[in-house]
Amino acid sequence: TNKDVNLTILTRDNAEILSLLSSGQADFGMARMKPPSSQFFTHPLLTTHPRLILPRDHFLSAKKKISLADLRDCRFVFLPKNTMSRRLIEDRFYRSGYTLNVSFEAWSCADIIECVLLGLGPGIVHDICGPRKEQGLRVVDITTIFGTTGVNLIGRKNKFLSRADQVFIQSVLQYRK
């Protein structure tokens, strides 16, 4: 804790993060993207892997190996359209000739898990958000279908980095996976 440090943490989509950084309204951002290298620096923080969350009574729950074709008829609880995760999953479905069917949009991965527990459908969340051992759920690694996503710490290249900025960057990098 330092009385001279004013830290505000906001949740925004990638486009808004870059806009806030470009305009100087934010000093740093964390996003699932690599922005234009001419304007921004990036530090890789972690790599996320998608997890399919199924209620134990779902028709796919007992299936040993799940393919994209198996998922094509599911009606998912998923993140909103403007999220990078949603776009990546939709793109993979589209490239395979399928459509991602979303029955319910949830605000966060935690909300997706709650909705799955309520029986609103299967969901896809990031591994860092997934339940460890939740009764009534099956968690399936679907990285082979959808790949991984890198999360980066991002900042403006032309911004002067104060000592506090440098300490912040080092502190964040110290905890990366």
Side-chain angles (χ1 to χ4, degrees):
T1 306
N2 187 318
K3 64 180 174 71
D4 296 325
V5 174
N6 180 9
L7 178 64
T8 303
I9 299 174
L10 306 171
T11 302
R12 301 288 188 267
D13 68 33
N14 290 338
E16 287 179 278
I17 290 169
L18 291 184
S19 176
L20 290 169
L21 288 168
S22 295
S23 68
Q25 295 176 53
D27 295 319
F28 303 101
M30 292 180 195
R32 288 182 165 82
M33 65 176 300
K34 283 198 80 100
S37 60
S38 60
Q39 294 176 273
F40 303 98
F41 66 80
T42 60
H43 293 286
L45 295 176
L46 59 107
T47 301
T48 61
H49 304 260
R51 298 290 190 257
L52 176 65
I53 309 295
L54 297 164
R56 292 256 180 227
D57 62 352
H58 191 273
F59 72 93
L60 290 176
S61 190
K63 191 168 169 88
K64 188 164 179 92
K65 185 167 171 60
I66 295 174
S67 69
L68 184 59
D70 294 324
L71 300 175
R72 72 178 175 220
D73 294 325
C74 291
R75 293 184 40 82
F76 287 96
V77 178
F78 213 86
L79 295 170
K81 266 195 174 297
N82 66 341
T83 61
M84 178 61 75
S85 297
R86 171 84 172 256
R87 284 193 294 265
L88 292 172
I89 299 293
E90 279 181 327
D91 182 61
R92 180 68 177 97
F93 269 84
Y94 176 77
R95 286 184 288 119
S96 297
Y98 307 133
T99 300
L100 174 67
N101 296 309
V102 176
S103 61
F104 189 87
E105 283 189 354
W107 179 249
S108 69
C109 289
D111 293 337
I112 290 172
I113 294 165
E114 289 297 320
C115 289
V116 172
L117 285 167
L118 290 171
L120 298 179
I124 298 175
V125 301
H126 312 102
D127 59 333
I128 59 173
C129 304
R132 298 265 185 243
K133 296 266 188 205
E134 185 71 50
Q135 288 186 357
L137 295 179
R138 177 171 176 222
V139 180
V140 182
D141 183 349
I142 51 175
T143 303
T144 57
I145 300 171
F146 297 108
T148 62
T149 307
V151 178
N152 297 294
L153 175 66
I154 303 168
R156 288 187 320 277
K157 274 190 174 176
N158 60 356
K159 178 190 179 302
F160 170 76
L161 294 178
S162 68
R163 178 73 184 127
D165 291 334
Q166 294 171 32
V167 168
F168 174 77
I169 292 170
Q170 291 309 311
S171 296
V172 170
L173 296 179
Q174 180 179 343
Y175 290 98
R176 67 181 154 186
K177 288 187 174 183

